[in-house]
Amino acid sequence: MLVLLGVLVVVIGFATRRNPLLVVGVAGIATGLLGGLSPQKVLAAFGTGFASSRAVTIFAITLPVIGLLERYGLQEQARRLITRFAGLTTGRFLALYLLLRQITAALGLVSVFGHAQTVRPLAAPMAEGAAERRHGPLPDAAREKVRSFAASADNVGLFFGEDVFLAVGSILLITGFVNTTYHTHLEPLQLALWAIPTALCALAIHGWRLLRLDRALAGGDAGTGAREVLDRKAAK
């Protein structure tokens, strides 16, 4: 039972909003020591885990690169690019991004897009630029709403698109568990095919919500309409 104190460390650490990496590290060390492992074996376990999942540390390369690109005007160029497409509204752009995200995820290319490498430096600024072109300067509430919809387009596209791919971890986990527990012969292709209707429904429902964003921005439902704010200032 003492080994479970590591879980308590995680709960307390997250509840007090400590650094997640520090909390998980301390919890792992505490669990290992309480489980009877020597400090050398605990360190060896950390090293083995790090060596077997080196791809997790790719952020150490991508974050500085994205930071440099943003410092030298990546977001400004993204906003400037979107202004060249007169018919591309915020909702239409995000719906297109949702479609591309879902298609690439269905093909197993889950790392092509993403929050760090695409949404924050490109998709969100382009969506904001499309909104500013039509409605003028955005109030803070509307700007945050556009950013949240940009993030949701990535989340929904990835979550429902990756299940269509045969070799995704969730599909293999389900088939392995079902075949082992219930002694059946469930193929990954069967699950992937049944995931297609769900993915299409998610695309239609969230795509409709994204297209409604244009009406919300124009009518002032996203906080306060940008044009309405400007008209009030002009009236004063």
Side-chain angles (χ1 to χ4, degrees):
M1 295 295 293
L2 290 177
V3 178
L4 297 179
L5 290 177
V7 180
L8 181 61
V9 173
V10 174
V11 173
I12 295 176
F14 286 168
T16 55
R17 298 183 179 181
R18 303 298 179 184
N19 186 292
L21 183 60
L22 178 62
V23 170
V24 173
V26 172
I29 294 173
T31 302
L33 295 177
L34 291 174
L37 297 179
S38 64
Q40 292 80 1
K41 289 185 178 180
V42 172
L43 184 60
F46 273 95
T48 302
F50 178 81
S52 61
S53 57
R54 290 188 296 271
V56 177
T57 61
I58 195 67
F59 73 90
I61 300 176
T62 57
L63 287 183
V65 172
I66 293 173
L68 286 173
L69 291 175
E70 289 188 0
R71 180 180 177 84
Y72 289 100
L74 177 63
Q75 292 191 1
E76 287 76 8
Q77 293 299 324
R79 286 190 176 92
R80 190 174 304 171
L81 175 64
I82 200 68
T83 57
R84 300 179 183 178
F85 301 94
L88 197 59
T89 63
T90 302
R92 292 173 185 172
F93 168 73
L94 292 180
L96 178 61
Y97 179 84
L98 169 65
L99 176 62
L100 293 176
R101 182 57 161 151
Q102 198 168 75
I103 291 175
T104 54
L107 296 176
L109 304 175
V110 296
S111 300
V112 172
F113 297 100
H115 290 281
Q117 64 268 37
T118 306
V119 174
R120 186 184 187 279
L122 290 175
M126 293 178 76
E128 292 176 32
E132 290 173 348
R133 185 188 65 237
R134 284 180 170 266
H135 309 294
L138 298 176
D140 292 338
R143 189 176 301 278
E144 292 300 325
K145 191 175 186 69
V146 170
R147 293 174 179 176
S148 65
F149 269 90
S152 70
D154 191 276
N155 286 341
V156 173
L158 174 62
F159 185 84
F160 291 96
E162 67 176 355
D163 287 339
V164 182
F165 185 57
L166 294 176
V168 72
S170 58
I171 295 292
L172 299 178
L173 176 63
I174 293 172
T175 54
F177 176 79
V178 171
N179 292 337
T180 303
T181 306
Y182 300 102
H183 306 289
T184 60
H185 188 67
L186 184 64
E187 294 291 338
L189 180 60
Q190 296 175 275
L191 287 178
L193 290 176
W194 279 106
I196 293 177
T198 307
L200 293 176
C201 289
L203 177 64
I205 294 172
H206 197 59
W208 175 72
R209 294 184 69 239
L210 293 172
L211 293 176
R212 285 189 61 211
L213 179 62
D214 293 328
R215 186 182 302 176
L217 291 172
D221 294 336
T224 306
R227 289 194 178 278
E228 187 177 340
V229 172
L230 294 177
D231 292 341
R232 289 178 181 176
K233 290 183 177 180
K236 291 180 181 180

